[in-house]
Amino acid sequence: MLVVVRGAGDIATGTIHRLHRCGFKVMGLEVENPSAIRREVSFSEAIYEGVTLIEGVIGRRAKTLEEINKAFERGEVPIVVDRDGVWIERLKPQVVVDGILAKRNLGTSKDMAPITIGLGPGFVAGRDVDIVIETMRGHDLGKLIFSGKAMENTGTPGLIGGVSKERVIYSENSGIFRDGLKIGSQVMKGDILGYIGDTPLLAPIDGVLRGIIRDGFLVKKKFKIGDIDPRREEEKNSFTISDKARALGGSVLEGILYLHCLRGKENGKGYIREIKFRG
């Protein structure tokens, strides 16, 4: 079963990683200049570096059908530049997952594949996609929605270590970002994390630099460019898939299997079989 995931940032990476480990052929679509912050755990980095390794799974940039197939043969995840989903039409996958998290629908529709899933707000289940998955932290995180929408974006980051808004860093001006600190660095409030043009970017809190935009990226004012984890002892978290990304990846897997088995049962193909226990 071929699954195409639109987006390959840190949240989409949780889905790509889980489906790949479960035996699916998974391919990620990205833009020419991805803006992932948590770059150590984003398959989108393959667009820049050619290849990236995340928790034992290799993501490799591919440009042609031959390169895509070779990546699959090696047990890797091909990542291609495809903003508009051209490869979806060419490959006709069984599943399309929109993991862009743009808070709006950037062109995903039910006619793209037999099973379509959208993460977060911007989609209407039953109209745009078959299933919408709730991405808001809290009791309903990962819930499968078969009719209607996910919760609207509040603009407030989830709590980590008791800190919400202060841990996420936005640019105060436009310019080229440069001289950024390494992800995983211990920082103190007021430390220089890098520069936007000639303007220093200062750490708003103490903690671990969990994510920061790539050097050379042209940022606009009020653009999300960094993330600090206030739990200084959690440095290793900068290099592993987050709890939220793992949860959503599990929900995508559930959604695929649910629809696949349900439709198989309806068509009399016997996907659901009797289970007998010995005793």
Side-chain angles (χ1 to χ4, degrees):
M1 183 178 288
L2 174 62
V3 182
V4 172
V5 179
R6 301 191 71 189
D10 66 301
I11 297 298
T13 290
T15 291
I16 293 170
H17 192 275
R18 177 153 295 191
L19 295 181
H20 173 84
R21 283 170 56 96
C22 289
F24 292 86
K25 284 185 175 181
V26 192
M27 174 176 164
L29 308 185
E30 260 298 345
V31 295
E32 183 67 45
N33 298 296
S35 59
I37 304 302
R38 297 204 63 219
R39 295 180 286 110
E40 293 290 340
V41 288
S42 296
F43 281 119
S44 58
E45 281 297 283
I47 298 299
Y48 294 107
E49 302 293 339
V51 63
T52 187
L53 176 65
I54 299 173
E55 294 192 24
V57 177
I58 294 174
R60 188 179 299 275
R61 179 169 182 172
K63 298 180 180 179
T64 65
L65 182 59
E66 181 182 9
E67 290 178 350
I68 290 170
N69 286 329
K70 283 185 176 179
F72 283 139
E73 289 170 6
R74 291 189 294 258
E76 300 171 346
V77 175
I79 308 295
V80 304
V81 174
D82 184 5
R83 180 187 292 270
D84 301 318
V86 174
W87 278 103
I88 295 174
E89 178 61 29
R90 289 190 63 184
L91 296 177
K92 301 188 183 307
Q94 286 75 40
V95 183
V96 168
V97 179
D98 191 314
I100 300 173
L101 272 74
K103 312 300 189 297
R104 57 194 178 96
N105 190 345
L106 297 180
T108 297
S109 62
K110 285 182 66 177
D111 60 4
M112 285 182 164
I115 295 175
T116 53
I117 298 174
L119 301 186
F123 309 98
V124 176
R127 185 191 71 187
D128 304 319
V129 293
D130 294 299
I131 299 174
V132 171
I133 295 180
E134 182 58 67
T135 57
M136 182 70 71
R137 286 186 184 273
H139 184 77
D140 286 333
L141 175 65
K143 178 181 177 180
L144 304 189
I145 301 169
F146 296 92
S147 179
K149 303 182 292 184
M151 295 175 63
E152 295 297 329
N153 179 39
T154 64
T156 301
L159 281 171
I160 291 182
V163 180
S164 178
K165 288 184 178 181
E166 297 85 355
R167 68 178 179 82
V168 179
I169 307 163
Y170 295 88
S171 56
E172 296 184 358
N173 58 296
S174 300
I176 301 293
F177 183 75
R178 62 181 178 86
D179 299 333
L181 289 183
K182 289 185 177 180
I183 291 174
S185 298
Q186 296 276 343
V187 299
M188 300 288 289
K189 182 177 180 178
D191 284 354
I192 296 176
L193 305 178
Y195 294 84
I196 302 174
D198 295 324
T199 304
L201 178 70
L202 305 181
I205 60 172
D206 300 348
V208 178
L209 188 61
R210 196 169 71 141
I212 196 162
I213 201 79
R214 287 182 66 90
D215 274 17
F217 197 92
L218 175 60
V219 301
K220 298 179 180 179
K221 189 175 181 179
K222 297 183 179 180
F223 195 80
K224 182 180 177 181
I225 56 174
D227 183 353
I228 295 177
D229 189 332
R231 303 167 297 180
R232 300 181 67 88
E233 70 280 5
E234 299 291 348
E235 180 180 330
K236 66 181 184 302
N237 290 356
S238 302
F239 308 99
T240 57
I241 297 169
S242 71
D243 54 349
K244 181 176 180 177
R246 290 188 201 279
L248 295 175
S251 294
V252 171
L253 175 61
E254 177 190 354
I256 293 172
L257 295 180
Y258 177 85
L259 288 181
H260 184 62
C261 292
L262 178 66
R263 292 170 182 176
K265 184 178 181 181
E266 290 173 347
N267 294 331
K269 293 184 178 180
Y271 287 110
I272 301 176
R273 299 179 179 178
E274 181 183 1
I275 299 174
K276 294 182 179 180
F277 296 92
R278 292 180 179 180

